[in-house]
């Protein structure tokens, strides 16, 4: 525990960050809504939205050992060319708004949580 406590990238500190995010944001509470986003082709990355009246987060999971890219219909409502910064992430991830939608690029075994509202 001591070695993981001192490592900001450890599983222990990742879990602490998730717990903190859940406690501080109503979108992750039990009373919030969970909306799956259907992507074309393979089941991964898994994409869903957690939201309440005040806020919304896009959660993207890639548990595979391969890089995955998916384009979604403009979920973020951000400007074309803008790169959105995840609130939390593990692995190599990128969220960029392009002309045709939102492009999510996920490295192997990665996750990102992005505030969209």
């Amino acid at each position: 525990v001591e070695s993981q406590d001192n490592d900001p990238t450890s599983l222990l500190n990742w879990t602490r960050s998730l717990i903190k995010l859940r406690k501080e944001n109503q979108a992750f509470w039990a009373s919030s809504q969970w909306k799956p986003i259907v992507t074309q082709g393979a089941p991964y990355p898994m994409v869903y939205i957690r939201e309440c009246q005040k806020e919304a987060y896009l959660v993207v999971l890639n548990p595979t050992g391969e890089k995955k890219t998916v384009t979604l219909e403009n979920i973020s409502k951000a400007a074309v060319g803008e790169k959105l910064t995840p609130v939390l992430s593990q692995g190599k991830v990128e969220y960029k708004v392009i002309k045709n939608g939102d492009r999510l690029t996920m490295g192997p075994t990665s996750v990102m949580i992005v505030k969209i509202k």
Side-chain angles (χ1 to χ4, degrees), residues 42-55:
Y44 298 111
M46 180 181 172
V47 182
Y48 62 92
I49 294 174
R50 290 295 307 251
E51 71 178 324
C52 63
Q53 289 180 349
K54 293 170 39 175
E55 59 194 7

Side-chain angles (χ1 to χ4, degrees), residues 12-22 88:
L12 175 65
N13 283 312
W14 170 252
T15 303
R16 286 176 175 161
S17 296
L18 286 173
I19 291 168
K20 183 177 189 273
L21 182 71
R22 183 171 185 258
L88 280 177

Side-chain angles (χ1 to χ4, degrees), residues 4-117:
Q4 286 204 14
D5 195 31
N6 294 324
D7 179 2
T9 63
S10 71
L11 181 59
L12 175 65
N13 283 312
W14 170 252
T15 303
R16 286 176 175 161
S17 296
L18 286 173
I19 291 168
K20 183 177 189 273
L21 182 71
R22 183 171 185 258
K23 284 181 178 180
E24 294 176 353
N25 299 282
Q26 291 181 11
F28 294 101
W29 295 1
S31 59
S32 70
Q33 293 186 5
W34 180 87
K35 295 180 183 177
I37 305 295
V38 177
T39 58
Q40 298 289 329
Y44 298 111
M46 180 181 172
V47 182
Y48 62 92
I49 294 174
R50 290 295 307 251
E51 71 178 324
C52 63
Q53 289 180 349
K54 293 170 39 175
E55 59 194 7
Y57 290 84
L58 184 74
V59 180
V60 188
L61 307 164
N62 178 19
T64 73
E66 302 171 1
K67 178 181 175 182
K68 300 287 183 179
T69 300
V70 65
T71 301
L72 307 174
E73 292 183 27
N74 301 88
I75 290 177
S76 69
K77 309 294 187 244
V80 172
E82 188 173 344
K83 286 186 178 183
L84 299 176
T85 303
V87 175
L88 280 177
S89 67
Q90 283 282 7
K92 189 171 183 172
V93 299
E94 182 181 71
Y95 190 133
K96 185 173 183 180
V97 181
I98 59 172
K99 192 175 187 177
N100 301 341
D102 295 358
R103 182 186 302 141
L104 312 173
T105 304
M106 308 289 295
T109 317
S110 58
V111 60
M112 79 168 119
I113 301 171
V114 180
K115 187 168 186 173
I116 57 173
K117 174 179 148 188

